[in-house]
Amino acid sequence: MKIVDARVIVTCPGRNFVTLKIVTDEGVTGVGDATLNGRELAVVSYLRDHVAPLLIGRDPARIEDTWQYLYQGAYWRRGPVTMSAIAAVDTALWDIKGKVAGLPVYQLLGGRSREGVTVYGHANGETVEEVLVEVARYIDLGYRAVRVQCGVPGLPKTYGVSADKLFYEPADAALPSEATWSTQRYLSHVPTVFARVRDEFGPTLRLLHDVHHRLTPIEAARLGRSLEPYALTWMEDPVPADLQEGFRLIRQHTTTPVAVGEVFNSVFDAAQLIREQLIDYIRTTVVHAGGITHLRRIFDLAALHHVRSGSHGATDLSPVCMAAALQLDISIPNFGLQEYMRHTAQTDEVFPHGYHYADGYLHPAEAPGLGVDIDEEAAARYPYAPAYLPVNRLEDGTVHPW
């Protein structure tokens, strides 16, 4: 069996997605997600101009060899563009391997380690009262874990708080929009939100919160300490992970668990945090961390150091990525949680898939391969539209980590 075609498909059914479809001479196809939110066309060019020509004539069964060929052979290694492109190839090859074997991919990864994949949803509101309504709605939908985000009094807009509560899309403009941020207002308000949520819903609901990289280590330590009475499952992205020594300071001052890694591209980004046990959950994804092959390596390292998975699952990850993530989630021993932001009906039309949600769990497809595809005719009806994530500024106008 040989690869005879590798085509890149760009579509925007409400938001942009980049998909690689690999075709073999025996008619077996595989798909991989290559979406990089706000920088999609950079990956499109990387795939079309630099990767797809290298795949023609290769044996699709040689997944590891192809991964090393694209990673080691590029000289310019890692980074979000390169690793998203490699991820798309890797994921598509796993899809083909599963189809040839007649098995869902998770069976090739060792089989099930659990019956379902526990997911969390996003409850958000401009006010605490709106947040309580949204948390109750997710509980009614069967969720056992809920991320809580709330507007900050005195700020006109807060990242993570949306008008559409089920289909939130933060990349909202053809040029980046700008918002105002105040760390002091935020640190004063967040503990009061979780006090109300715990008082309303009791001690057993798993609660999470995303800081979106906005604090310094000592500020994050203060937040973590103030949230300890409310027993969060995790505090996500408390600081930018560029200076990883900063996580030691957080760890010294709070027992609130920490989750990080959605912007990581490789095991080298996560190795220090994992080995020093400075985090509790690693949030790397199939699409941005080199595909199933490399993400499994990250999870294996994490398992040795009592760190669990908690993969990013926002709407900018297509159903192809979610289908692939579930194959790993169901099989690894150190699974923690899977983020699950639902896609729109238009997106589901473009990406027909077999995974499904029931009673707080996602269940991977049982079809051979990943159990997902792309309808190219439907995709063609939704052309690419530029969209960027917003930029934050402090009240004095200084650009701030979003």
Side-chain angles (χ1 to χ4, degrees), residues 172-190:
D172 59 0
L175 292 174
S177 59
E178 296 192 4
T180 303
W181 176 253
S182 167
T183 297
Q184 187 59 45
R185 294 175 191 269
Y186 169 77
L187 289 175
S188 299
H189 183 56
V190 170

Side-chain angles (χ1 to χ4, degrees), residues 284-333:
T284 40
T285 67
V286 171
V287 63
H288 297 143
I292 291 172
T293 296
H294 194 67
L295 184 55
R296 185 167 59 164
R297 290 197 176 97
I298 296 173
F299 289 161
D300 285 345
L301 177 65
L304 300 177
H305 296 85
H306 306 290
V307 175
R308 298 177 180 176
S309 73
S311 288
H312 183 56
T315 50
D316 59 296
L317 311 184
S318 85
V320 174
C321 183
M322 181 59 74
L326 294 175
Q327 305 292 333
L328 273 171
D329 291 339
I330 204 76
S331 61
I332 60 172

Side-chain angles (χ1 to χ4, degrees), residues 26 65 69 109 154 272 327 352:
E26 296 184 15
D65 182 67
Y69 177 77
L109 301 175
Q272 179 183 356
Q327 305 292 333

Side-chain angles (χ1 to χ4, degrees), residues 2-7 20-25 52 55-57:
K2 299 294 182 184
I3 296 172
V4 295
D5 191 18
R7 54 182 178 266
L20 177 69
K21 189 163 194 173
I22 293 178
V23 182
T24 72
D25 56 356
L55 299 176
I56 306 305

Side-chain angles (χ1 to χ4, degrees), residues 119-191:
V119 297
Y120 69 90
H122 289 199
N124 67 84
E126 289 291 345
T127 65
V128 178
E129 287 69 26
E130 289 180 12
V131 168
L132 297 177
V133 170
E134 289 304 309
V135 173
R137 183 157 71 106
Y138 275 99
I139 292 172
D140 289 343
L141 290 169
Y143 283 76
R144 294 166 166 79
V146 180
R147 192 186 87 167
V148 174
Q149 307 292 133
C150 186
V152 177
L155 298 183
K157 187 177 181 180
T158 304
Y159 186 84
V161 177
S162 61
D164 191 325
K165 302 306 181 187
L166 274 182
F167 307 111
Y168 174 46
E169 175 48 61
D172 59 0
L175 292 174
S177 59
E178 296 192 4
T180 303
W181 176 253
S182 167
T183 297
Q184 187 59 45
R185 294 175 191 269
Y186 169 77
L187 289 175
S188 299
H189 183 56
V190 170

Side-chain angles (χ1 to χ4, degrees), residues 9 13-14 26 29 35 41 54 78-79 128 134 203 228 234 242 250 273 284 304 317 321 336 339 368-369:
I9 304 158
E26 296 184 15
T29 64
T35 307
L41 297 185
L54 307 181
R78 296 158 56 188
V128 178
E134 289 304 309
E228 285 177 12
W234 76 45
D242 303 328
I250 300 172
L273 295 175
T284 40
L304 300 177
L317 311 184
C321 183
E339 183 177 16

